[in-house]
Amino acid sequence: MNTQQTWATLRGHAEAVTHVAWMPDGRAVASAGADALLVWPLDLETALRALN
């Protein structure tokens, strides 16, 4: 993805995000911060799972 355009804003963290990683299958992104680890499916704008 090299369009340099915003295609989604993922909201769910109450604290700053410190890490972001693509899942190996390319179907989701994980984000981690002091408050939680969230897994985001790339076809939805809501967290698939949250670990607090």
Side-chain angles (χ1 to χ4, degrees):
M1 194 180 299
N2 193 16
T3 64
Q4 298 184 4
Q5 294 178 332
T6 301
W7 56 270
T9 300
L10 305 175
R11 300 181 194 282
H13 286 280
E15 302 291 328
V17 173
T18 56
H19 296 81
V20 176
W22 291 91
M23 294 295 158
D25 64 6
R27 294 175 34 201
V29 173
S31 59
D35 61 335
L37 167 67
L38 302 176
V39 179
W40 306 91
L42 294 180
D43 59 346
L44 300 174
E45 291 185 22
T46 56
L48 180 64
R49 300 190 196 282
L51 301 174
N52 296 340

